[in-house]
Amino acid sequence: MPVQRVVTIHYHLTDPSGKTIDSSEGRGPFSYLEGAGQIIPGLERALSLLSAGQETTVQVAAAEAYGVRRPELVLDVPKTKLPQADVKIGDRFRGGPDEHAPVFTVIEVGADTVKLDGNHPLAGVDLTFRVNIVSMREASSQEIEHGHSHDGGHDH
Ligand code: ZN
C-alpha cells in the first residue's frame, strides 16, 4: 500500500463560461486525505503527480465530475405531496428519509403542482479547477484510521 498523504490546496473552480462556482480564496486552503474519495477522482489523480508549490489547471468533464444531467429526475409533483405547502423556486427537499436520497430543487411553481429537479446543481457542467498545491505530507495513522485530514481542526 502506497504512503497516504494529506494534500492541502488553494483552488478556484469555474464553469465553461468562466463563472466562478467555488473558491478557497478568502476561506483558507482545503485539505484532503489521498485515496479517501474526498475530491473528484480525475482531479485527485492529476494532483497526485505534483508537489508542493506547483500550480496547475485541471479540466474535468461533467461525466467524471457530478455526472450528466438525467431528464428523468425532473418531475412534476402535486403540491399536496410536498413536505411543506408554501414553496418557492430554489427551495430544496430530500427525496426520502434515506440520507443518500437525491435532493430535489424547486425549479417551477404552478397552481397545483411544482416542477422538481433531482439533478445535482453541477450535473452536466464541465469543470475547470485552477489549483495551487500548498503542501503535501504523509498522513498520520489517526488520519488514515478516520479517513480524513485533521488540518484545520478536528472536534471528535
Ligand atoms: Zn478525525
Side-chain angles (χ1 to χ4, degrees), residues 142-143 146 148-150 154 156:
Q142 197 192 38
E143 286 173 322
H146 288 190
H148 53 232
S149 157
H150 286 165
H154 152 259
H156 51 262

Side-chain angles (χ1 to χ4, degrees), residues 2-153:
V3 171
Q4 258 183 300
R5 295 178 298 184
V6 168
V7 182
T8 300
I9 61 173
H10 267 297
Y11 67 93
H12 192 90
L13 171 60
T14 50
D15 72 8
S17 74
K19 192 181 119 210
T20 297
I21 295 169
D22 191 15
S23 174
S24 64
E25 279 152 39
R27 265 213 314 254
F30 171 78
S31 290
Y32 64 92
L33 176 66
E34 285 191 319
Q38 289 167 337
I39 66 169
I40 293 166
L43 178 62
E44 181 165 340
R45 254 192 322 275
L47 298 184
S48 71
L49 306 173
L50 303 178
S51 45
Q54 287 192 291
E55 270 183 48
T56 190
T57 298
V58 180
Q59 316 255 10
V60 182
E64 304 288 314
Y66 292 93
V68 295
R69 278 189 64 79
R70 291 165 55 196
E72 71 272 22
L73 288 180
V74 178
L75 310 168
D76 284 305
V77 177
K79 279 183 174 173
T80 53
K81 295 256 170 130
L82 296 175
Q84 62 192 73
D86 196 18
V87 296
K88 59 186 186 311
I89 289 174
D91 284 351
R92 310 187 82 204
F93 306 105
R94 196 169 288 290
D98 181 346
E99 63 171 304
H100 296 295
V103 171
F104 288 88
T105 305
V106 176
I107 57 172
E108 242 178 72
V109 179
D112 302 314
T113 64
V114 296
K115 199 181 280 291
L116 298 179
D117 186 352
N119 288 287
H120 188 281
L122 293 178
V125 179
D126 295 326
L127 304 176
T128 300
F129 291 89
R130 216 168 60 232
V131 177
N132 177 357
I133 310 259
V134 177
S135 68
M136 278 181 167
R137 62 167 173 83
E138 219 176 290
S140 70
S141 54
Q142 197 192 38
E143 286 173 322
I144 292 171
E145 197 184 308
H146 288 190
H148 53 232
S149 157
H150 286 165
D151 284 355

